[in-house]
Amino acid sequence: MPAQIGVTGLAVMGANLARNFARNGYTVAVHNRSAGKTDALLEAHGDEGDFIRTESLEELVQNLETPRRVMLMVKAGKPVDAVIDQLVPLLEPGDIVIDGGNSHYEDTRRREAALAEKDLHFVGVGVSGGEEGALLGPSIMPGGSQESYRALGPMLEKISAKYEGEPCCTWISTDGAGHFVKMVHNGIEYADMQVIGEAYDLLRSAAGLEPAEQAKVFTEWNKTNLSSFLIEITAEVLGHVDADTGKPLVDVVVDSAGQKGTGRWTVISALELGTPTSGIAESVFARGLSSQRSQRAIGQEVLEGREEQVELPEGFVEDVRQALFASKLVSYAQGLDMLDNAAAEYGWELKLDEIASLWRAGCIIRAELLDDIMKAYAAAEKPENLLFAPAFSKAIAEAVPAWRRVVATAVRLGIPVPVFSSSLAYYDGLRRKRLPAALIQGQRDLFGAHTYQRIDREGTFHTQWSGDRTEISADDTH
Ligand code: 6PG
């Protein structure tokens, strides 16, 4: 029997996805550049379902039913192009090439357009959930043509995570939309991790809670509106003791956070779209700062903190919880706002309720909150910003007093809380009646005749700063 899907690239994610397809009753043709990985997979897990072992892309393609579905699970970047180049001559019109890696959405747009010219479908699929998710059910974000989704979607839905029986997979939109949404998912993931880190630092450095005690705090927090995978694993990490030293693991790990690039891409794209995603950006910068180990070593010596003595406000731990919730909400709001702007820019129809719904299980940012976010966007009147949805504007308003106390305390104690504080600034920025942007417009007009608009009449104006300072209509000069 020919295979319904072929998977090439059998590192952990590829192998686990292949196993997931097989465990769900599909016949899976598997291929890896070096056959050793294929054999290792089949030896360890070949009995989990129907696999067809292949040694070349030709053989892989020959073993597939039509339209052929070939899933690439190779490293993002050049390796994807290299495999596509080898694969395309072997395929026929109507066949589907699927890229399940963390590819950049612009690459996916380019590849989709190139393959469409050959009547081939190219589907960029965001897959979230790490190794375990790939095996047991990830959250899946497929882009590409709707026609390709008809042939591929049911299979992806079957292997995806389920939230109350509903698959965490739905067609996102055309070309690079799936990878774009996955990228923003990762941006939110970065911010979510950073706010948890800031809460940990405050509880440790301000409130003096040791990691083991904090493990209990996070376990309790996981029963509140913060309930999420990332809070759950935080408790697990904080409770873990290093076997070598007997110290909490978190105390023996070098405090320099790695990154593979998806968070950075999110911020670059946000800047291009003009969407203020300050929480996500600060979380990427915080990882960057943590990695500047040599500068940090000097900074510790030469930069004075002049911290204040602060008596912690009563209920500080609960304050931190609320600040964490509010900041997290802002990061989600910023990420979703970015999706709205990208939809307009790239001509995608992104349904934010559906996107929130498929993040409810399987993916790294899965959280109870996402069900409420889905409902907010499913309402007849869609909020222009998540924070404007009545349920969320109320929830964040309730957290504001604690949020202000926490940020103020952190500043006085010299504990950096870049996402807590920038999220609060974003919130206040959205609320504020007059922003100092009016002054910036004045400055721009003075040094560069960049013009401004007035609040009291239509048109574009310029003050003749170097002349008699009368105002002229700039509309006349254009
Ligand atoms: C997921 C993860 C996954 C990976 C990221 C983050 O959704 O399953 O986001 O894609 O963990 O690449 O990696 P970095 O933190 O190294 O950027």
Side-chain angles (χ1 to χ4, degrees):
M1 197 174 79
Q4 284 126 314
I5 189 148
V7 178
T8 177
L10 300 175
V12 185
M13 288 298 281
N16 282 2
L17 275 176
R19 289 172 64 194
N20 190 350
F21 279 117
R23 287 165 161 214
N24 275 286
Y26 297 110
T27 303
V28 189
V30 285
H31 167 259
N32 194 69
R33 210 164 44 149
S34 59
K37 278 212 170 98
T38 316
D39 291 332
L41 166 67
L42 295 180
E43 200 168 307
H45 307 290
D47 58 353
E48 290 179 358
D50 295 328
F51 293 97
I52 299 176
R53 178 186 185 281
T54 70
E55 284 194 4
S56 63
L57 285 176
E58 286 81 356
E59 206 188 334
L60 181 81
V61 166
Q62 281 158 14
N63 276 288
L64 298 176
E65 66 175 31
T66 53
R68 296 177 185 82
R69 305 175 191 91
V70 189
M71 188 153 194
L72 276 46
M73 291 303 297
V74 298
K75 205 169 153 25
K78 288 203 173 77
V80 176
D81 287 313
V83 178
I84 291 174
D85 287 347
Q86 289 174 48
L87 203 53
V88 164
L90 310 172
L91 299 175
E92 284 175 340
D95 288 349
I96 305 167
V97 179
I98 307 138
D99 174 12
N102 268 335
S103 290
H104 193 280
Y105 68 98
E106 288 287 15
D107 285 337
T108 305
R109 282 162 63 79
R110 168 177 60 76
R111 291 166 184 150
E112 200 271 341
L115 266 66
E117 280 188 15
K118 299 186 159 65
D119 290 325
L120 296 171
H121 298 285
F122 186 76
V123 181
V125 181
V127 179
S128 176
E131 295 171 18
E132 197 178 277
L135 181 64
L136 302 176
S139 171
I140 306 182
M141 294 147 255
S145 68
Q146 265 174 308
E147 194 190 332
S148 66
Y149 194 76
R150 276 191 286 278
L152 178 69
M155 293 178 69
L156 296 179
E157 288 179 17
K158 189 136 186 223
I159 66 153
S160 74
K162 307 289 177 303
Y163 181 86
E164 293 180 353
E166 277 179 56
C168 291
C169 170
T170 190
W171 180 69
I172 300 287
S173 194
T174 50
D175 56 74
H179 274 142
F180 189 91
V181 168
K182 172 65 192 344
M183 177 189 79
V184 173
H185 163 284
N186 280 25
I188 295 173
E189 172 186 303
Y190 273 51
D192 219 342
M193 293 167 79
Q194 174 65 23
V195 285
I196 292 173
E198 291 175 17
Y200 154 75
D201 201 5
L202 284 162
L203 295 187
R204 187 90 187 257
S205 314
L209 292 183
E210 291 302 308
E213 294 170 273
Q214 287 205 38
K216 291 186 198 138
V217 171
F218 277 95
T219 302
E220 284 309 305
W221 285 4
N222 204 31
K223 297 174 190 157
T224 69
N225 55 6
L226 283 179
S227 173
S228 61
F229 171 71
L230 285 170
I231 294 283
E232 182 192 321
I233 64 162
T234 299
E236 211 175 312
V237 174
L238 289 174
H240 189 71
V241 174
D242 175 49
D244 270 1
T245 57
K247 291 183 182 164
L249 178 75
V250 74
D251 285 351
V252 297
V253 172
V254 173
D255 59 344
S256 152
Q259 49 179 315
K260 292 198 209 76
T262 46
R264 185 168 51 228
W265 291 349
T266 310
V267 179
I268 293 171
S269 166
L271 289 171
E272 281 166 359
L273 291 165
T275 315
T277 53
S278 45
I280 297 173
E282 287 294 351
S283 67
V284 178
F285 292 142
R287 287 198 192 187
L289 190 145
S290 77
S291 301
Q292 290 189 315
R293 294 181 64 202
S294 134
Q295 286 197 38
R296 287 176 56 205
I298 302 168
Q300 283 167 43
E301 299 300 322
V302 306
L303 301 177
E304 287 179 36
R306 310 256 171 127
E307 295 91 346
E308 295 175 24
Q309 296 287 338
V310 178
E311 204 175 309
L312 290 188
E314 213 175 300
F316 183 70
V317 174
E318 171 59 14
D319 275 4
V320 172
R321 191 190 71 76
Q322 292 194 29
L324 168 49
F325 176 74
S327 308
K328 176 185 167 105
L329 212 52
V330 165
S331 300
Y332 278 72
Q334 293 179 342
L336 291 161
D337 190 26
M338 187 174 162
L339 292 184
D340 250 349
N341 292 344
E345 175 73 19
Y346 297 111
W348 296 326
E349 203 192 321
L350 298 181
K351 299 199 178 78
L352 299 189
D353 55 339
E354 289 184 4
I355 291 167
S357 89
L358 61 86
W359 287 346
R360 288 179 303 176
C363 65
I364 303 297
I365 65 168
R366 60 187 181 263
E368 227 173 76
L369 183 68
L370 279 158
D371 196 43
D372 297 327
I373 295 181
M374 184 211 75
K375 286 177 186 141
Y377 283 109
E381 216 171 301
K382 303 211 182 320
E384 202 173 319
N385 182 304
L386 177 68
L387 302 182
F388 304 158
F392 288 119
S393 44
K394 185 165 176 285
I396 205 161
E398 281 166 5
V400 164
W403 200 7
R404 294 198 192 287
R405 280 193 295 272
V406 168
V407 171
T409 304
V411 169
R412 294 175 68 197
L413 288 171
I415 301 172
V417 284
V419 179
F420 275 18
S421 54
S422 66
S423 303
L424 181 55
Y426 172 85
Y427 179 78
D428 281 332
L430 274 180
R431 294 175 48 251
R432 201 146 174 85
K433 206 159 197 151
R434 292 280 294 162
L435 290 170
L439 174 60
I440 293 170
Q441 286 297 79
Q443 293 164 334
R444 291 177 69 242
D445 190 57
L446 186 148
F447 66 64
H450 293 301
T451 74
Y452 52 86
Q453 270 141 359
R454 299 181 55 100
I455 58 169
D456 51 0
R457 30 180 219 279
E458 290 286 307
T460 307
F461 301 92
H462 168 60
T463 292
Q464 301 182 94
W465 296 100
S466 46
D468 62 2
R469 303 205 163 194
T470 53
E471 185 180 75
I472 56 167
S473 164
D475 295 328
D476 305 339
T477 60
H478 292 296

